[in-house]
Amino acid sequence: DVKVTQSSRYLVKRTGEKVFLECVQDMDHENMFWYRQDPGLGLRLIYFSYDVKMKEKGDIPEGYSVSREKKERFSLILESASTNQTSMYLCASGLQNTEAFFGQGTRLTVV
Amino acid sequence: SQQGEEDPQALSIQEGENATMNCSYKTSINNLQWYRQNSGRGLVHLILIRSNEREKHSGRLRVTLDTSKKSSSLLITASRAADTASYFCATDPLTSNTGKLIFGQGTTLQVKP
């Protein structure tokens, strides 16, 4: 079975902290995604990576950066966490033109 | 801006009834996918329909795609309480060429026993 693992299920951080959310997949997928999910807004794409070191901005990249140094790992970085970044963060991976596989999500609270 | 928009936002039905959810999108696509999410969990893929397909079935699920109207529908037949979840459509835009997936806002389905 494909496994997409997010490093934390719940996370509490302070305003201004640098936050790293890690995601690892074990199926050699080219594509990896970071979404945030907020009530009433569905899933919004933050960043997308289609290969090692390759990235594309999604709809809401402001305040975030990403890193993909190895194919299996895609990191989301909040440079200076703010309260409006409190959300559920979902990582996914997949091949082009096929289904995506999701991790269980990280619920981040910024206080 | 989100590519897909689901309708209705919320749906409540009795067990045994059929549930229909609709998705509209804005730009041409490679494929359209439907996902399910149980409360507080990650999403699970249900079905993928390619732009040259019009209908697909998987168990109690039936998906249609109308590229001329840029819309899709998901039908769940003979619903069960266990079908209670949020359902999302996602599109792979033709302009992307890399497999980017854009999700809609979702439909929350409640199936009452």
Side-chain angles (χ1 to χ4, degrees), chain A residues 9 31 33 35 37 40-45 48 50 56-59 88 90 95-105 107, chain B residues 1-3 9 30-31 33 35 37 39-45 48 50 88 92 96-106:
Chain A
R9 189 87 171 90
N31 293 345
F33 311 80
Y35 296 90
Q37 184 176 21
L41 297 178
L43 275 73
R44 292 180 291 168
L45 183 64
F48 162 61
Y50 51 91
E56 208 172 295
K57 290 181 181 179
D59 293 327
M88 170 73 95
L90 292 166
L95 298 170
Q96 189 172 348
N97 215 20
T98 64
E99 66 194 280
F101 295 86
F102 278 80
Q104 287 302 296
R107 188 166 292 281
Chain B
S1 59
Q2 288 178 286
Q3 166 80 313
Q9 287 191 331
N30 291 308
N31 64 71
Q33 304 178 31
Y35 289 80
Q37 183 183 37
S39 180
R41 312 294 283 180
L43 278 72
V44 174
H45 181 262
L48 180 153
R50 302 193 189 281
F88 294 88
D92 175 359
S96 165
N97 283 330
T98 49
K100 182 192 283 192
L101 272 183
I102 306 295
F103 281 78
Q105 294 163 323

Side-chain angles (χ1 to χ4, degrees), chain A residues 5-80:
Chain A
T5 304
Q6 294 184 230
S7 52
S8 304
R9 189 87 171 90
Y10 299 95
L11 210 51
V12 180
K13 295 292 181 180
R14 294 198 179 277
T15 301
E17 274 194 79
K18 191 168 186 176
V19 180
F20 293 85
L21 302 184
E22 307 285 348
C23 177
V24 177
Q25 50 98 359
D26 65 358
M27 281 302 290
D28 204 34
H29 288 157
E30 281 90 8
N31 293 345
M32 295 190 76
F33 311 80
W34 274 108
Y35 296 90
R36 66 175 279 177
Q37 184 176 21
D38 300 287
L41 297 178
L43 275 73
R44 292 180 291 168
L45 183 64
I46 305 172
Y47 267 100
F48 162 61
S49 170
Y50 51 91
D51 204 346
V52 174
K53 297 188 190 293
M54 306 304 288
K55 62 186 179 186
E56 208 172 295
K57 290 181 181 179
D59 293 327
I60 51 164
E62 298 78 17
Y64 303 94
S65 62
V66 289
S67 171
R68 190 148 179 222
E69 296 298 317
K70 293 184 179 181
K71 194 173 188 178
E72 67 270 18
R73 186 179 296 269
F74 191 34
S75 303
L76 179 69
I77 303 151
L78 286 65
E79 298 290 343
S80 177

